[in-house]
């Protein structure tokens, strides 16, 4: 879209039509509309952008505003600047951050303070900046460094291991010399973990009893670290089998996003008795190490040393809802993105 000679434009956006309460989202919770809007007159420090690619993550659900029926959906994505009154974001520049599910957006100077400018590598697909080299990859890289205290020879278990975070966590742990165990929801994903990503062991939590499968995979050496992306009843099992001074890093709540019961372990006393460390991590306050992350991870991704699986769906904003609902059903493997504007870059 050329913005210099137009006064109006067509914008497609996704709204919440019904707040999911205690259930996984379905199509009745969303409404996709197309409207004609007037070209904005930018305030000082603001920009007008094209949203080029959306990151479809379970936690989008928790951006919904309670008690409203016309709430914009907000999630991570990448945008290109079409008009600018902000010297830090010139026309043609790209960044990632929290973006509404719509074709075009105007962001204020305040909103821009929360986004991260991107330096795209022409040898890599744009989608990697939504996944392994984006917020997902950074979340894993930073949480392992800040919280996990990885030590060679230890054993780490990763739940939801075939997703983007799990894939990266397993590979980074292997690079540090740990024994890596993962779980996933299909035999295909389990095979991917062991055959492609090099996990030492993996199991299908849908067809195997998680307690028995994990206990068997861990073996007599016991478990040292749990990288928890689900926050379900598995936590109780882990508290029983963790070695003294073990660590739990809680990073995701897939169970809650899917309308399932979240963890309510009855054996929390093990945290005291085993002197365990149990810490939560969210990425939002920790972008101070973004530059170092890019320096370390980009060469590993380009060389193929860090592998990844992803699904990129091409289309307009009108395909976002259906794709998101498939994410919630576990249809895809790895990071899922909707690419709406590859030709715009």
């Amino acid at each position: 879209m050329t913005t210099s000679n137009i006064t109006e434009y067509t914008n497609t956006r996704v709204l919440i039509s019904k707040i999911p309460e205690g259930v996984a989202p379905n199509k009745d919770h969303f409404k996709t509309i197309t409207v004609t809007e007037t070209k904005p007159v930018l305030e000082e420090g603001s920009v007008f952008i094209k949203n080029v690619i959306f990151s479809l993550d379970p936690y989008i659900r928790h951006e919904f505003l309670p008690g409203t029926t016309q709430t914009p959906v907000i999630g991570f994505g990448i945008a290109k600047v079409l008009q600018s009154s902000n010297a830090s974001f010139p026309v043609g520049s790209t960044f990632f951050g929290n973006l509404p599910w719509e074709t075009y957006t105007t962001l204020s100077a305040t909103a821009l303070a929360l986004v991260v400018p991107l330096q795209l590598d022409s040898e890599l697909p744009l989608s990697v900046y939504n996944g392994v080299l984006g917020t997902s990859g950074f979340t894993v890289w930073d949480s392992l460094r800040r919280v996990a205290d990885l030590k060679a020879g230890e054993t780490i278990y990763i739940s939801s291991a075939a997703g983007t975070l799990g894939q990266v966590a397993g590979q980074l742990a292997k690079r540090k010399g740990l024994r890596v165990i993962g779980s996933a929801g299909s035999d295909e994903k389990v095979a991917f973990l062991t055959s492609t990503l090099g996990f030492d062991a993996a199991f299908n939590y849908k067809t195997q009893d998680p307690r028995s499968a994990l206990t068997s995979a861990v073996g007599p050496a016991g478990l040292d670290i749990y990288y928890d992306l689900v926050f379900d009843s598995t936590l109780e099992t882990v508290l029983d089998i963790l070695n003294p001074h073990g660590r739990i890093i809680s990073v995701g709540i897939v169970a809650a996003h899917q309308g399932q019961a979240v963890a309510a372990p009855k054996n929390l006393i093990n945290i005291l008795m085993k002197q365990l460390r149990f810490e939560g991590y969210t990425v939002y306050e920790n972008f101070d190490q973004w530059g170092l992350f890019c320096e370390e991870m980009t060469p590993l991704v380009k060389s193929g040393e860090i592998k990844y699986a992803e699904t990129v769906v091409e289309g307009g904003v009108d395909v976002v809802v259906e794709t998101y609902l498939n994410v919630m059903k576990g249809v895809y493997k790895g990071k899922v993105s909707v690419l709406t504007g590859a030709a715009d870059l």
Side-chain angles (χ1 to χ4, degrees), residues 12-334:
T12 301
R13 63 169 54 95
V14 178
L15 302 172
I16 302 303
S17 57
K18 182 180 178 182
I19 302 297
E21 296 180 355
V23 297
N26 59 60
K27 63 181 180 180
D28 293 331
H29 294 120
F30 300 94
K31 180 168 66 175
T32 302
I33 63 173
T34 299
V35 295
T36 299
E37 298 179 332
T38 302
K39 178 181 176 181
V41 177
L42 297 180
E43 297 179 357
E44 184 63 30
S46 63
V47 296
F48 181 63
I49 60 173
K50 169 72 183 293
N51 296 317
V52 178
I53 187 168
F54 296 105
S55 175
L56 301 192
D57 307 291
Y59 53 76
I60 285 172
R61 177 181 171 188
H62 289 267
E63 300 290 345
F64 298 168
L65 301 177
T68 61
T69 58
Q70 295 290 302
T71 303
V73 184
I74 307 295
F76 279 111
I78 297 172
K80 179 179 180 179
V81 178
L82 301 181
Q83 291 179 259
S84 177
S85 64
N86 188 317
S88 298
F89 296 90
V91 172
S93 61
T94 56
F95 60 82
F96 85 81
N98 281 315
L99 302 171
W101 284 356
E102 61 185 10
T103 311
Y104 301 103
T105 304
T106 300
L107 292 182
S108 66
T110 301
L112 288 170
L114 302 175
V115 307
V116 178
L118 288 175
Q119 298 296 324
L120 302 180
D121 189 314
S122 61
E123 297 180 18
L124 292 170
L126 178 65
S127 54
V128 301
Y129 296 98
N130 242 6
V132 66
L133 290 180
T135 308
S136 298
F138 178 76
T139 295
V140 176
W141 177 88
D142 193 55
S143 61
L144 291 178
R145 291 174 72 250
R146 291 183 193 262
V147 183
D149 188 25
L150 300 179
K151 296 183 178 70
E154 291 188 327
T155 297
I156 185 172
Y157 165 54
I158 303 163
S159 55
S160 192
T164 307
L165 277 72
Q167 292 177 36
V168 177
Q171 292 178 88
L172 291 181
K174 286 293 293 182
R175 292 179 64 82
K176 290 289 188 178
L178 279 78
R179 182 167 180 266
V180 179
I181 300 168
S183 58
S186 73
D187 291 341
E188 178 191 2
K189 292 177 180 179
V190 167
F192 169 73
L193 294 177
T194 55
S195 300
T196 302
L197 299 188
F199 280 50
D200 296 284
F203 62 89
N204 184 337
Y205 69 86
K206 290 184 178 179
T207 60
Q208 296 176 262
D209 175 68
R211 178 177 283 269
S212 298
L214 179 57
T215 302
S216 175
V218 165
L223 181 65
D224 300 292
I225 305 169
Y226 177 32
Y227 197 80
D228 185 9
L229 296 167
V230 181
F231 207 74
D232 66 358
S233 59
T234 304
L235 184 57
E236 189 163 302
T237 298
V238 166
L239 287 168
D240 281 340
I241 66 176
L242 270 171
N243 291 327
H245 303 287
R247 285 87 74 200
I248 300 171
I249 303 94
S250 183
V251 183
I253 51 172
V254 170
H257 300 316
Q258 294 178 339
Q260 301 172 7
V262 298
K266 297 180 176 64
N267 54 350
L268 289 175
I269 193 172
N270 285 339
I271 296 175
L272 170 62
M273 302 307 293
K274 296 184 179 184
Q275 301 180 74
L276 306 177
R277 181 179 179 184
F278 190 159
E279 186 167 342
Y281 175 93
T282 60
V283 73
Y284 301 102
E285 353 179 293
N286 294 305
F287 280 112
D288 57 300
Q289 297 297 305
W290 176 259
L292 181 58
F293 161 73
C294 293
E295 289 179 19
E296 289 189 6
M297 287 292 287
T298 302
L300 296 176
V301 174
K302 288 185 69 173
S303 68
E305 292 178 70
I306 293 292
K307 301 176 176 63
Y308 61 93
E310 65 175 2
T311 301
V312 180
V313 177
E314 296 190 27
V317 174
D318 56 306
V319 306
V320 171
V321 170
E322 180 182 358
T323 307
Y324 173 66
L325 295 177
N326 283 333
V327 170
M328 300 302 289
K329 296 173 185 175
V331 171
Y332 307 113
K333 181 170 62 180

